[in-house]
Amino acid sequence: VIWWNAGDEPLPTGKFDLAYRLTTNDYRGQRQVSLVWIDSHALKAMEVKQAVIKLIDHRQDSQPELVLKTILNDTPQALIWAENQPPRNRPYCDRTKLSGADVLIIWNIPPAPKVLSNIIETVKPKEIHFFARPSDAATLQDFLKILAGLVKFAVSQRAGKTNLSQLASATVQTSDIVRLGLRWLQEKGLYSFTTLSGEDTQAQNGSRSNPGLIKQINARLQELWSEHKAYQHYYQTCDSNNIIT
């Protein structure tokens, strides 16, 4: 930028708006484009106020259904996020059907911090109640068995059509581990999968296994499962103020 007649004018500091004009000139036979400084003014820092969310901890409560009843008596419009072993006779939403609400109830142990963050970002609550109901998949083998059952149902009842987010919700898992789980099923020769669009997938019965890849996929699945279990342990034991940090 060319600043003509600047003299001893101080350079602006920090962020600033700049008014300029584009000019062209021929210097030693070469045509050049220059920016010519006209004026500037400093940008005022914007004060950003971060909303404070009230966090209420029920992770260690021995009677979660009774506690939930009390919460809903006080705030009947509260939104319950649950994907496995949901509260009895209560409306709830999985991660694919969330909407805005002032009060959010986290019923299950989330599978990963990014899942919890996405839930909170979608609902934008002013108050969150944290419970810690476990999912049915206590082990990696449990997860793969449940995932295989969901795919089998899709093949037999839905012409093979399924969806990555729906499978992640049904297994209370991340999309990453579900995607790798589907790969495991395919390389085992149980099913094969074709991506339709986005997260939509077409499943059909498999025909041939690939033992050479199974070992690699198993190793990566074990890594992801260990990360998942480590986070769940953290969620259950950390200070309530650190759940969403």
Side-chain angles (χ1 to χ4, degrees):
V1 179
I2 301 173
W3 191 1
W4 297 112
N5 303 316
D8 296 327
E9 291 286 338
L11 288 171
T13 59
K15 293 183 178 181
F16 61 94
D17 278 333
L18 174 66
Y20 63 89
R21 72 171 182 271
L22 283 172
T23 64
T24 60
N25 60 76
D26 291 310
Y27 179 70
R28 294 182 178 179
Q30 293 185 348
R31 192 166 182 80
Q32 297 179 337
V33 177
S34 300
L35 280 177
V36 178
W37 185 301
I38 297 176
D39 197 5
S40 68
H41 68 86
L43 291 176
K44 294 182 179 180
M46 295 180 63
E47 183 180 355
V48 179
K49 294 183 178 179
Q50 187 172 4
V52 177
I53 302 175
K54 184 179 180 181
L55 309 178
I56 305 172
D57 188 4
H58 307 289
R59 292 172 297 167
Q60 306 304 322
D61 287 343
S62 59
Q63 295 181 298
E65 296 273 0
L66 185 59
V67 174
L68 179 64
K69 181 180 179 180
T70 301
I71 296 170
L72 294 177
N73 284 340
D74 294 336
T75 54
Q77 301 305 315
L79 186 147
I80 302 173
W81 171 75
E83 295 183 337
N84 190 257
Q85 299 188 35
R88 294 187 296 272
N89 303 317
R90 304 287 183 186
Y92 63 93
C93 297
D94 64 29
R95 74 189 77 172
T96 68
K97 297 171 182 162
L98 296 169
S99 59
D102 286 341
V103 178
L104 170 64
I105 297 169
I106 301 294
W107 184 250
N108 290 126
I109 304 172
K114 67 179 180 180
V115 174
L116 178 59
S117 296
N118 289 341
I119 293 168
I120 294 172
E121 186 177 332
T122 301
V123 178
K124 294 179 173 56
K126 298 176 182 177
E127 180 176 301
I128 305 177
H129 295 260
F130 292 98
F131 290 83
R133 303 299 293 163
S135 68
D136 290 335
T139 67
L140 176 57
Q141 289 69 32
D142 291 339
F143 160 70
L144 291 171
K145 183 177 180 180
I146 293 169
L147 182 62
L150 292 169
V151 174
K152 180 179 180 181
F153 176 83
V155 170
S156 63
Q157 302 296 324
R158 302 182 59 193
K161 293 181 180 179
T162 187
N163 177 278
L164 192 64
S165 290
Q166 291 172 355
L167 291 173
S169 173
T171 56
V172 201
Q173 268 304 334
T174 65
S175 295
D176 289 341
I177 199 168
V178 168
R179 189 179 290 108
L180 197 58
L182 295 178
R183 178 99 183 273
W184 184 88
L185 293 174
Q186 179 163 293
E187 302 307 335
K188 290 284 284 187
L190 300 175
Y191 299 97
S192 61
F193 302 93
T194 304
T195 300
L196 299 178
S197 63
E199 294 189 335
D200 293 333
T201 299
Q202 178 79 41
Q204 50 270 336
N205 290 320
S207 58
R208 187 172 58 183
S209 64
N210 190 342
L213 288 176
I214 290 296
K215 187 175 180 179
Q216 297 177 32
I217 296 173
N218 273 333
R220 182 56 181 152
L221 276 171
Q222 288 290 351
E223 290 177 6
L224 292 180
W225 190 260
S226 295
E227 292 173 7
H228 159 67
K229 297 303 288 186
Y231 172 71
Q232 289 202 318
H233 176 74
Y234 172 81
Y235 175 89
Q236 291 175 283
T237 60
C238 72
D239 185 276
S240 59
N241 292 318
N242 295 327
I243 295 178
I244 62 173
T245 58

